[in-house]
Amino acid sequence: MTLIKSISGIRGTIGGMPDDGLSPLAIVKFVSAYSTFIRNNTTVSTNRIVVGRDARISGLMVKQMVIGTLTGMGFNVVDIDLATTPTTEIAVTVENACGGIIITASHNPKQWNALKLLNERGEFLNAEDGNAILEIAEKGQFEYATIDKLGKVITDTRYKERHIDSILKLDLVDVDAIRAANFRVAIDSVNSIGGIVIPDLLYALGVKEIFKLHCNPHGNFSHNPEPLPENLTEISQLMIHAKADVGFVVDPDVDRLAVVCENGEMFGEEYTLVSVSDYVLSNTPGNTVSNLSSSRALRDVTVKHGGQYNAAAVGEVNVVARMKETNAVIGGEGNGGVIYPASHYGRDALTGIALFLTNLAKKKMKVSELRATYPSYFISKQKVELTPSINVDAILLKVKEKFASYDITDIDGVKIDFPDKWVHLRKSNTEPIIRIYSEAHAMKEAEELGGELIKIIKEMCG
């Protein structure tokens, strides 16, 4: 069993001994610590915390523990129950709440669950705040409410509709254009909350024919829930059988979006953000941001529209911070995460779907044809396993020095930008591993670049 404590939340497997995974005792401890931090730092006086969850089998059990702890700490809970991660983020701001907890392990298999922690802006906590919560939990520095100060539970399951309504009101979402296109859309929601909300969104957008795959939200995922090509063979076949125009695949909490072409081929998860950004920038000129491990194609598209591209350290909270610093009009992560500030500062597959369909309707072309209009890049992901005695930071410093004549970014590991390709080296926070991401115009070239760095690292290690 596993329990991972990080600044972004608490993630673990269900079952086992009390200290082995995301046990009821662990849930109480970390929610108590979060409550204490929020109590000491919030500027909001509503005394409310929003709680939402995906459709995981363990979700109801975890929610009951979370709500019981929050009310025991004296907070009033707005229970929005089954809800996407972006829906929960939006609910925090609408409720003017002190914070929020999303019960989801994102793309992890069904035996996992997690507590994703939000601040009063409905955004993930930064490193400083996350570490403060971990310290409070470690020291047990929390105090529960007396009988007259216990919190109450407010149940509100209308946020799915509110989220969809907010998307329909976005200036760049054109319902009339989508309706006129008569799209045939296939979806794979991997038996979670997307199976409820995505069909409702598509119908609201004017899509009349929807082909559903794994939309029953029972949480017993029908395949590996990470929306990668090797896990999406069924929808690829469905696209051809149903003669669908476009396919959409989401992860269990609906903050990542993968697109499937009409011929069953993958659009490319990296290109979800690229395509949506191309549409947004063509109507709203400005800057963009993605993390260091995302495709260079976003930079190319941004420059084409006269904007400036900026890179952020890996992690949604880092991308959001950089977007605010640079007044970016669109940003996100190459794993299919679209962040559109006109809606809210969070990865949102629902907003991504609406913007993608609008763009497709206006351009009047097939999805494969749209994909062909963007620069073609391929990303290779490799890793080097080292012994615990090796100083990973020292190795990365040596790599930086060796390639000092090239464009180097070191805000998150070491990224080396060559004229027509790049390689990004990051150390793991939990094990002696250096992760190596490389991108080039051909997969073979990307893999060879990564392999070259692996060879150099091993030589440095003796």
PDB file of all heavy atoms in Angstrom, residues 227-246:
ATOM      1  N   PRO A 227      -5.647   8.976 -20.172  1.00  0.00           N
ATOM      2  CA  PRO A 227      -6.037   9.067 -21.592  1.00  0.00           C
ATOM      3  C   PRO A 227      -4.852   9.078 -22.550  1.00  0.00           C
ATOM      4  O   PRO A 227      -4.595  10.047 -23.250  1.00  0.00           O
ATOM      5  CB  PRO A 227      -6.827  10.383 -21.642  1.00  0.00           C
ATOM      6  CG  PRO A 227      -6.251  11.207 -20.542  1.00  0.00           C
ATOM      7  CD  PRO A 227      -5.854  10.244 -19.453  1.00  0.00           C
ATOM      8  N   LEU A 228      -4.128   7.958 -22.581  1.00  0.00           N
ATOM      9  CA  LEU A 228      -2.999   7.792 -23.484  1.00  0.00           C
ATOM     10  C   LEU A 228      -3.403   6.859 -24.633  1.00  0.00           C
ATOM     11  O   LEU A 228      -4.300   6.028 -24.476  1.00  0.00           O
ATOM     12  CB  LEU A 228      -1.802   7.209 -22.727  1.00  0.00           C
ATOM     13  CG  LEU A 228      -1.264   8.060 -21.569  1.00  0.00           C
ATOM     14  CD1 LEU A 228      -0.139   7.320 -20.853  1.00  0.00           C
ATOM     15  CD2 LEU A 228      -0.787   9.415 -22.070  1.00  0.00           C
ATOM     16  N   PRO A 229      -2.759   6.961 -25.797  1.00  0.00           N
ATOM     17  CA  PRO A 229      -3.170   6.184 -26.976  1.00  0.00           C
ATOM     18  C   PRO A 229      -3.306   4.693 -26.717  1.00  0.00           C
ATOM     19  O   PRO A 229      -4.253   4.058 -27.220  1.00  0.00           O
ATOM     20  CB  PRO A 229      -2.047   6.473 -27.982  1.00  0.00           C
ATOM     21  CG  PRO A 229      -1.568   7.836 -27.619  1.00  0.00           C
ATOM     22  CD  PRO A 229      -1.653   7.906 -26.117  1.00  0.00           C
ATOM     23  N   GLU A 230      -2.395   4.119 -25.936  1.00  0.00           N
ATOM     24  CA  GLU A 230      -2.451   2.672 -25.716  1.00  0.00           C
ATOM     25  C   GLU A 230      -3.678   2.244 -24.917  1.00  0.00           C
ATOM     26  O   GLU A 230      -4.040   1.056 -24.909  1.00  0.00           O
ATOM     27  CB  GLU A 230      -1.179   2.198 -24.987  1.00  0.00           C
ATOM     28  CG  GLU A 230      -0.911   2.883 -23.664  1.00  0.00           C
ATOM     29  CD  GLU A 230       0.028   4.072 -23.785  1.00  0.00           C
ATOM     30  OE1 GLU A 230      -0.001   4.738 -24.847  1.00  0.00           O
ATOM     31  OE2 GLU A 230       0.774   4.331 -22.836  1.00  0.00           O
ATOM     32  N   ASN A 231      -4.359   3.202 -24.252  1.00  0.00           N
ATOM     33  CA  ASN A 231      -5.551   2.885 -23.472  1.00  0.00           C
ATOM     34  C   ASN A 231      -6.848   3.202 -24.210  1.00  0.00           C
ATOM     35  O   ASN A 231      -7.930   3.019 -23.663  1.00  0.00           O
ATOM     36  CB  ASN A 231      -5.530   3.661 -22.155  1.00  0.00           C
ATOM     37  CG  ASN A 231      -4.302   3.370 -21.319  1.00  0.00           C
ATOM     38  OD1 ASN A 231      -3.796   2.247 -21.320  1.00  0.00           O
ATOM     39  ND2 ASN A 231      -3.810   4.381 -20.597  1.00  0.00           N
ATOM     40  N   LEU A 232      -6.743   3.673 -25.461  1.00  0.00           N
ATOM     41  CA  LEU A 232      -7.912   4.210 -26.153  1.00  0.00           C
ATOM     42  C   LEU A 232      -8.243   3.470 -27.443  1.00  0.00           C
ATOM     43  O   LEU A 232      -8.761   4.061 -28.393  1.00  0.00           O
ATOM     44  CB  LEU A 232      -7.689   5.705 -26.438  1.00  0.00           C
ATOM     45  CG  LEU A 232      -7.326   6.560 -25.214  1.00  0.00           C
ATOM     46  CD1 LEU A 232      -7.116   8.012 -25.611  1.00  0.00           C
ATOM     47  CD2 LEU A 232      -8.401   6.456 -24.139  1.00  0.00           C
ATOM     48  N   THR A 233      -7.963   2.202 -27.476  1.00  0.00           N
ATOM     49  CA  THR A 233      -8.232   1.436 -28.698  1.00  0.00           C
ATOM     50  C   THR A 233      -9.723   1.307 -28.985  1.00  0.00           C
ATOM     51  O   THR A 233     -10.141   1.282 -30.149  1.00  0.00           O
ATOM     52  CB  THR A 233      -7.605   0.040 -28.590  1.00  0.00           C
ATOM     53  OG1 THR A 233      -8.095  -0.603 -27.402  1.00  0.00           O
ATOM     54  CG2 THR A 233      -6.083   0.130 -28.501  1.00  0.00           C
ATOM     55  N   GLU A 234     -10.545   1.233 -27.934  1.00  0.00           N
ATOM     56  CA  GLU A 234     -11.988   1.056 -28.139  1.00  0.00           C
ATOM     57  C   GLU A 234     -12.620   2.261 -28.822  1.00  0.00           C
ATOM     58  O   GLU A 234     -13.412   2.121 -29.756  1.00  0.00           O
ATOM     59  CB  GLU A 234     -12.681   0.789 -26.796  1.00  0.00           C
ATOM     60  CG  GLU A 234     -12.443  -0.587 -26.229  1.00  0.00           C
ATOM     61  CD  GLU A 234     -13.170  -0.786 -24.921  1.00  0.00           C
ATOM     62  OE1 GLU A 234     -12.625  -0.373 -23.878  1.00  0.00           O
ATOM     63  OE2 GLU A 234     -14.280  -1.340 -24.933  1.00  0.00           O
ATOM     64  N   ILE A 235     -12.298   3.457 -28.361  1.00  0.00           N
ATOM     65  CA  ILE A 235     -12.911   4.638 -28.982  1.00  0.00           C
ATOM     66  C   ILE A 235     -12.351   4.847 -30.387  1.00  0.00           C
ATOM     67  O   ILE A 235     -13.048   5.352 -31.281  1.00  0.00           O
ATOM     68  CB  ILE A 235     -12.733   5.908 -28.125  1.00  0.00           C
ATOM     69  CG1 ILE A 235     -13.624   7.029 -28.677  1.00  0.00           C
ATOM     70  CG2 ILE A 235     -11.279   6.347 -28.056  1.00  0.00           C
ATOM     71  CD1 ILE A 235     -13.769   8.229 -27.773  1.00  0.00           C
ATOM     72  N   SER A 236     -11.129   4.417 -30.609  1.00  0.00           N
ATOM     73  CA  SER A 236     -10.567   4.507 -31.948  1.00  0.00           C
ATOM     74  C   SER A 236     -11.389   3.667 -32.924  1.00  0.00           C
ATOM     75  O   SER A 236     -11.702   4.109 -34.045  1.00  0.00           O
ATOM     76  CB  SER A 236      -9.111   4.026 -31.930  1.00  0.00           C
ATOM     77  OG  SER A 236      -8.542   4.134 -33.216  1.00  0.00           O
ATOM     78  N   GLN A 237     -11.786   2.477 -32.494  1.00  0.00           N
ATOM     79  CA  GLN A 237     -12.624   1.616 -33.326  1.00  0.00           C
ATOM     80  C   GLN A 237     -14.037   2.182 -33.458  1.00  0.00           C
ATOM     81  O   GLN A 237     -14.648   2.108 -34.531  1.00  0.00           O
ATOM     82  CB  GLN A 237     -12.673   0.217 -32.711  1.00  0.00           C
ATOM     83  CG  GLN A 237     -11.324  -0.492 -32.706  1.00  0.00           C
ATOM     84  CD  GLN A 237     -11.314  -1.741 -31.849  1.00  0.00           C
ATOM     85  OE1 GLN A 237     -12.312  -2.069 -31.210  1.00  0.00           O
ATOM     86  NE2 GLN A 237     -10.185  -2.435 -31.797  1.00  0.00           N
ATOM     87  N   LEU A 238     -14.554   2.760 -32.357  1.00  0.00           N
ATOM     88  CA  LEU A 238     -15.895   3.341 -32.377  1.00  0.00           C
ATOM     89  C   LEU A 238     -15.988   4.491 -33.374  1.00  0.00           C
ATOM     90  O   LEU A 238     -17.018   4.652 -34.047  1.00  0.00           O
ATOM     91  CB  LEU A 238     -16.273   3.818 -30.971  1.00  0.00           C
ATOM     92  CG  LEU A 238     -17.623   4.537 -30.827  1.00  0.00           C
ATOM     93  CD1 LEU A 238     -18.770   3.619 -31.214  1.00  0.00           C
ATOM     94  CD2 LEU A 238     -17.803   5.052 -29.391  1.00  0.00           C
ATOM     95  N   MET A 239     -14.931   5.290 -33.466  1.00  0.00           N
ATOM     96  CA  MET A 239     -14.941   6.422 -34.394  1.00  0.00           C
ATOM     97  C   MET A 239     -15.245   5.962 -35.816  1.00  0.00           C
ATOM     98  O   MET A 239     -16.058   6.563 -36.521  1.00  0.00           O
ATOM     99  CB  MET A 239     -13.575   7.128 -34.359  1.00  0.00           C
ATOM    100  CG  MET A 239     -13.249   7.829 -33.059  1.00  0.00           C
ATOM    101  SD  MET A 239     -14.376   9.180 -32.679  1.00  0.00           S
ATOM    102  CE  MET A 239     -14.083  10.249 -34.072  1.00  0.00           C
ATOM    103  N   ILE A 240     -14.613   4.880 -36.230  1.00  0.00           N
ATOM    104  CA  ILE A 240     -14.788   4.381 -37.597  1.00  0.00           C
ATOM    105  C   ILE A 240     -16.162   3.720 -37.756  1.00  0.00           C
ATOM    106  O   ILE A 240     -16.867   3.958 -38.741  1.00  0.00           O
ATOM    107  CB  ILE A 240     -13.658   3.391 -37.924  1.00  0.00           C
ATOM    108  CG1 ILE A 240     -12.300   4.115 -37.857  1.00  0.00           C
ATOM    109  CG2 ILE A 240     -13.872   2.767 -39.298  1.00  0.00           C
ATOM    110  CD1 ILE A 240     -11.108   3.204 -37.966  1.00  0.00           C
ATOM    111  N   HIS A 241     -16.546   2.911 -36.774  1.00  0.00           N
ATOM    112  CA  HIS A 241     -17.824   2.202 -36.847  1.00  0.00           C
ATOM    113  C   HIS A 241     -19.012   3.172 -36.874  1.00  0.00           C
ATOM    114  O   HIS A 241     -19.965   2.989 -37.630  1.00  0.00           O
ATOM    115  CB  HIS A 241     -17.952   1.248 -35.663  1.00  0.00           C
ATOM    116  CG  HIS A 241     -19.266   0.524 -35.602  1.00  0.00           C
ATOM    117  ND1 HIS A 241     -19.588  -0.515 -36.459  1.00  0.00           N
ATOM    118  CD2 HIS A 241     -20.352   0.699 -34.782  1.00  0.00           C
ATOM    119  CE1 HIS A 241     -20.802  -0.945 -36.184  1.00  0.00           C
ATOM    120  NE2 HIS A 241     -21.290  -0.229 -35.179  1.00  0.00           N
ATOM    121  N   ALA A 242     -18.951   4.220 -36.043  1.00  0.00           N
ATOM    122  CA  ALA A 242     -20.060   5.169 -35.919  1.00  0.00           C
ATOM    123  C   ALA A 242     -19.977   6.310 -36.925  1.00  0.00           C
ATOM    124  O   ALA A 242     -20.893   7.130 -37.003  1.00  0.00           O
ATOM    125  CB  ALA A 242     -20.092   5.738 -34.500  1.00  0.00           C
ATOM    126  N   LYS A 243     -18.871   6.374 -37.661  1.00  0.00           N
ATOM    127  CA  LYS A 243     -18.645   7.485 -38.588  1.00  0.00           C
ATOM    128  C   LYS A 243     -18.752   8.830 -37.858  1.00  0.00           C
ATOM    129  O   LYS A 243     -19.380   9.783 -38.337  1.00  0.00           O
ATOM    130  CB  LYS A 243     -19.621   7.433 -39.768  1.00  0.00           C
ATOM    131  CG  LYS A 243     -19.443   6.219 -40.671  1.00  0.00           C
ATOM    132  CD  LYS A 243     -20.405   6.263 -41.852  1.00  0.00           C
ATOM    133  CE  LYS A 243     -20.126   5.162 -42.879  1.00  0.00           C
ATOM    134  NZ  LYS A 243     -20.133   3.811 -42.337  1.00  0.00           N
ATOM    135  N   ALA A 244     -18.129   8.875 -36.685  1.00  0.00           N
ATOM    136  CA  ALA A 244     -18.150  10.098 -35.872  1.00  0.00           C
ATOM    137  C   ALA A 244     -17.174  11.127 -36.427  1.00  0.00           C
ATOM    138  O   ALA A 244     -16.166  10.781 -37.052  1.00  0.00           O
ATOM    139  CB  ALA A 244     -17.808   9.768 -34.420  1.00  0.00           C
ATOM    140  N   ASP A 245     -17.481  12.385 -36.184  1.00  0.00           N
ATOM    141  CA  ASP A 245     -16.624  13.475 -36.662  1.00  0.00           C
ATOM    142  C   ASP A 245     -15.451  13.727 -35.728  1.00  0.00           C
ATOM    143  O   ASP A 245     -14.366  14.128 -36.166  1.00  0.00           O
ATOM    144  CB  ASP A 245     -17.442  14.765 -36.799  1.00  0.00           C
ATOM    145  CG  ASP A 245     -18.561  14.629 -37.806  1.00  0.00           C
ATOM    146  OD1 ASP A 245     -18.252  14.322 -38.978  1.00  0.00           O
ATOM    147  OD2 ASP A 245     -19.733  14.800 -37.431  1.00  0.00           O
ATOM    148  N   VAL A 246     -15.673  13.532 -34.439  1.00  0.00           N
ATOM    149  CA  VAL A 246     -14.632  13.807 -33.452  1.00  0.00           C
ATOM    150  C   VAL A 246     -14.903  12.962 -32.209  1.00  0.00           C
ATOM    151  O   VAL A 246     -16.056  12.641 -31.900  1.00  0.00           O
ATOM    152  CB  VAL A 246     -14.598  15.314 -33.086  1.00  0.00           C
ATOM    153  CG1 VAL A 246     -15.919  15.776 -32.499  1.00  0.00           C
ATOM    154  CG2 VAL A 246     -13.448  15.643 -32.125  1.00  0.00           C
TER     155      VAL A 246
END
